[in-house]
Amino acid sequence: MTNCPRKDFAHCTKCKKKHHVSICPPNPNTSIPNREFNHINIPINNFTHPQTARMYITGPTGITQLAQCILDGGSPASFIDANLIDKLKFSVVSYEKLNIHISESSTSSQAIRRCVQFSLSSVWNKNSALITAFESSNRYTSHPTAPEDIVHFVKSQKLILADPPEDSYLPIEFLIGGDFYWHVVTTKSTIKVKDSFVTIPSSFGWVLSGLRTHTTITHD
């Protein structure tokens, strides 16, 4: 390069600085590339949306509270936060010894858990369900609310979300497992938003489920 007559005029084609393009370092501010399928842009990093719903929960004394739950048909039983049991004064149906197996753990633990019964009612209609669940001290991590474009898509289909983005401060306080999952989820067909993301019909509204991080939908 010392004898090159164009050394003072040659520039990198990427950053325009005075070096060869082959030694140009990558730009750290480069955005995540997207893959596009039928107007749905999906970044490489993905997030799986759990099946969540919002509903009123009522104990035997009539005390009612708006609460958020996870629907998990893979769990053999339903669970509810122990603090909520005491707060709403739920009736204890029984005390049972449970073997608790944690995902990705080879160990299990035994514990006596209270089994309580309570009523769930829809925020949007008169649907209700009677649920029996075991107490739990587990805490569920928060998750992002439904993206605005997906909310618009659902509304364009005249559907009501079971867990709308409003009141996103609500903690997840109970889990409806396989023992009551099909008491809540209805037999209507799911509506596919994309290949890996659907809305599931339930007594309490349509439930979002699937891979959805930064999923964007463009309406024609």
Side-chain angles (χ1 to χ4, degrees):
M1 289 293 292
T2 55
N3 298 322
C4 178
R6 300 186 60 191
K7 66 178 181 179
D8 294 329
F9 303 96
H11 295 85
C12 173
T13 57
K14 291 172 62 177
C15 68
K16 307 304 180 184
K17 293 183 179 180
K18 292 184 178 181
H19 57 240
H20 192 270
V21 65
S22 63
I23 62 172
C24 184
N27 184 356
N29 297 321
T30 302
S31 59
I32 299 174
N34 287 348
R35 298 189 295 268
E36 184 171 332
F37 301 96
N38 298 327
H39 303 292
I40 300 178
N41 297 325
I42 312 164
I44 292 176
N45 291 336
N46 293 303
F47 171 79
T48 301
H49 196 292
Q51 298 177 27
T52 58
R54 193 171 308 164
M55 57 199 71
Y56 290 114
I57 182 169
T58 306
T61 62
I63 302 175
T64 299
Q65 176 179 313
L66 183 63
Q68 190 179 40
C69 78
I70 285 182
L71 302 175
D72 183 3
S75 173
S78 299
F79 294 89
I80 185 168
D81 188 280
N83 293 326
L84 194 59
I85 293 176
D86 298 330
K87 179 180 179 180
L88 299 184
K89 304 183 185 304
F90 290 158
S91 298
V92 177
V93 177
S94 63
Y95 292 86
E96 297 189 30
K97 180 183 290 186
L98 300 183
N99 287 318
I100 308 298
H101 297 266
I102 301 175
S103 177
E104 296 188 356
S105 174
S106 59
T107 61
S108 63
S109 61
Q110 288 189 344
I112 301 295
R113 301 288 183 96
R114 290 178 291 176
C115 182
V116 299
Q117 190 175 63
F118 51 91
S119 174
L120 301 176
S121 55
S122 173
V123 175
W124 315 111
N125 51 47
K126 296 182 179 180
N127 291 336
S128 62
L130 192 63
I131 301 293
T132 301
F134 292 100
E135 68 174 316
S136 173
S137 58
N138 291 336
R139 294 290 183 272
Y140 299 97
T141 57
S142 59
H143 66 281
T145 58
E148 185 177 349
D149 51 348
I150 289 183
V151 173
H152 288 164
F153 171 79
V154 170
K155 288 182 177 179
S156 72
Q157 303 298 308
K158 297 182 179 180
L159 307 176
I160 297 177
L161 286 178
D163 190 13
E166 299 84 9
D167 299 327
S168 58
Y169 63 88
L170 285 174
I172 296 173
E173 295 181 286
F174 63 102
L175 178 150
I176 297 178
D179 51 351
F180 287 98
Y181 183 87
W182 293 108
H183 291 226
V184 174
V185 174
T186 65
T187 56
K188 292 181 181 179
S189 298
T190 60
I191 295 178
K192 183 180 290 186
V193 178
K194 56 179 289 293
D195 287 343
S196 60
F197 192 72
V198 299
T199 57
I200 300 172
S202 81
S203 300
F204 305 105
W206 290 80
V207 179
L208 300 177
S209 178
L211 207 58
R212 54 129 274 189
T213 295
H214 304 306
T215 298
T216 57
I217 301 174
T218 303
H219 302 287
D220 295 330

